[in-house]
Amino acid sequence: MASGSYRNGGPKLSAKLDRQHSAVYSTPKASAKSRPPATPAAASSLRRSGSGNPASTPASNKGDAGVPGRVRVAVRLRPRNAEELVADADFADCVELLPELKRLKLRKNNWDSETYEFDEVLTEFASQKRVYEVVAKPVVESVLEGYNGTVMAYGQTGTGKTFTLGRLGEEDNAARGIMVRAMEDILADTSPDTDSISVSYLQLYMETIQDLLVPGNDNIAIVEDPKTGDVSLPGATIVEIRDQRNFVELLRRGEAHRFAANTKLNTESSRSHAILMVHVKRSIKGRHDAEPSLPRENGNASPLLSSLRPPIVRKSKLVVVDLAGSERIDKSGSEGHSLEEAKSINLSLSALGKCINSLAENSPHVPFRDSKLTRLLRDSFGGTARTSLVVTIGPSPRHRGETASTVMFGQRAMKVENMVKLKEEFDYKSLCRRLDIEIDKLIAANERQLKDFEDEVERIRADAQSRIAEAEINYMNSLENERSKYQTDYLESIKKLEEKWRMNHQSSNNDKTRVAHEQCLEKTCNIEGSTASNSEEITRVGQLLLNEKLLRESTEEVNDLKSQVLHWKNLEASASAEIIKLRKMLDNEANQKQKLEEEIRILKGQLLQLSVEADKTRRSLESGGSGKSLTGLDSIMSQARHSQLRDSGNGPKASIAKLFEQVGLQKILSLLESEDADVRIHAVKVVANLAAEEANQEKIVEAGGLTSLLMLLRISEDETIRRVAAGAIANLAMNETNQELIMAQSGISLLSMTAADAEDPQTLRMVAGAVANLCGNDRLQTRLRGEGGIKALLGMVRCGHPDVLAQVARGIANFAKCESRASTQGNKVGKSLLIEDGALPWIVKSANSEAAPIRRHVELALCHLAQHEVNANDMISEGALWELVRISQDCSREDIRTLAHRTLTSSPTFQSELRRLCIEC
């Protein structure tokens, strides 16, 4: 392992580099020394490739030769540092910049100079945003279009290469480097549902490739494809990126493992080449919508063929290279192991220079294999990537030789041309997975429909049998009732006939008696015989009448029974017809099931055939065959793409900005008062995302969004709502006008109550961030402390989570800085409010925290508190004096060290205490 120390940050530049410089990006012009060939076609191609618009560069997925594109070079001047301001005070800068002409003058002496022309000339006042837009943004846009891209920084040690590329910008958002800004643009232009982004972070140290994300992986081999010559690192760790915070954490972790050492030229000099590889995989849609669909055998298009078109995938790679600085041993003072490191760095940079010289001179042999650095950058110089190079120089005349060497390196690099290619391929694996899922869904749906149909048939059959049984029972009951009724009526009729017969018989007897008295005695025998004859006749007539009545009643009963039997037969016939109909339906469903199974079998066969054709096509492409073998496959793919897009509806979810435009802010804010908890959660998340953009904050506040968010903090008991609402308030609190509105609506009291009730670290982090933003307002100091803001911050220390503690430390540092400024201006007298609220013990305790963000903010707070003599005695009694001494000697930030040293030397109380302690020792 190297003797150099690990580094936790990049090189420090003057505050001038952080100034925002408003400038419109224009297309860089090639210098006279590095112009492309004079032919019109070549000139047109170079102008087209150098325009920074990747969409205008034609490319194909069928192995075309690509489009020429020259390496674009920008030069950036570092401002004088503190040492140069003293040592070179009587000497003029060795360089003169003419940014409007894109030229640089390098002075040989007071009367002679040389002029060089670059694609862009960046002065010492150029902002990080300006550097990114000029150097890296065209490359990032090309990567998003599917091209490979490289951004590289070259220059003498201490000229700001790591500041330009790898600055994280945690303290100052404007100081973010190219790596952070490039990932922000990539994440903003990709969708996590269809695209994937992954990174590898490596360092080349002493001709050994080491993994900065997994330090134990310290000997990674380079593998070259024998057919294409592409270089890959299969042993490197690849991490999937989902959000910007995750990426910044990876960069911080990688920078902590990178080798650095203290030299005469740079207090924190990089001793290795850092290489960040960003792999972007994007799914391209809507390219084959107009192609004809695939017909089926029966003439109708099958909805199941909608997914046979595989998605087109574009794979690209962005490589950001932070080269170690070139140095002269006599100037850097390297010795021992540092000397060996310097030799290795200079050898690799020399090998890179030789390759660029060979490419610039169109040499038949380019020595890429002389160094691992040149092997890794084979695609960046003379390859297929779009490359931008920023060369960094210093103004000091003492280093004129190194500056001239750096300028000449950039001039030679401008003569190198790359053949930019676009790489597209079909994602067959995704297609197979999607078709398997669709087939499983269709089988499951068919089984569910068949089961439902069988259940329905069984229900209808059971219902029919139940109705038939019920009809039979009703028929038997009706028949029995009719039989009983007719029997009763028959018995009653018999009784009536018998009664009439007795009455007639009695009447006949009375007549006979009267006739017998009237007639003479001699006719007595005749009368008796006649009476007997009449009686028999009456009996016979009565019997006939009775028989006739019975026959009539029986006939009526038989007719009724026949009509009922006919009715039930009709019912039975209708039931039989319904059963026959149901059986026909069963047969139809069985036939449909058979057809579906046949269709699934056909689809499986077509899928198998598609896979075979895809393999043949892939082999044909790999062997350099013509595009004719793609004809059948393209037909199937086009139909599937058309159907897939038709079935996919509206595609991926609209972005938050799109939702904001379509729905409207008022409607989104109204959902914060919804009775449905899920609706409130989704609404507050949308508002929080909108509040993260500075352009939306004023609209949210004007529409009453701030009041609604504070109301959610007051009344909601849902932890998710409180956490997201606090985060949204924290975003709004970054604006000074919003800070006063938050205080006016008792926002600090609500945040304090939320901090006291919450246990979730993420909720506490959001609340602490909001309070920390409010602490940075000079006009709100007294009111914020009066409403419990400081005590709320100190109360959140109980959580112990590093992120929460970092926000607490930031809030205390902001409060201390505002207090210090107010005391200096005469607006505040007396002891610090932080000390009165008991914050000093925690500040002293956290000054040696292992977490860099906590330690940095606490060190800054101690320095601001110590600037005023009224706080000195309290700080001495709490042990803060020794922490100030340590900060003035060991702090990693030069500005904080300087502030601590100035405070110690200017305070009579501190000086007296230090002298007393020295005497006692």
Side-chain angles (χ1 to χ4, degrees), residues 465-475 477 568:
Q465 292 177 352
S466 174
R467 291 168 60 184
I468 291 173
E470 183 179 358
E472 291 178 350
I473 293 173
N474 292 335
Y475 172 73
N477 291 335
W568 292 117

Side-chain angles (χ1 to χ4, degrees), residues 663-671 702-704:
V663 177
L665 183 59
Q666 288 292 346
K667 191 166 184 179
I668 295 174
L669 293 177
S670 66
L671 296 178
E702 290 178 354

Side-chain angles (χ1 to χ4, degrees), residues 127 321 344 470 482 674 706-707 777 784:
S127 65
V321 184
S344 176
E470 183 179 358
E482 290 295 330
S674 174
L706 177 59
T707 304
N777 193 318
L784 185 142

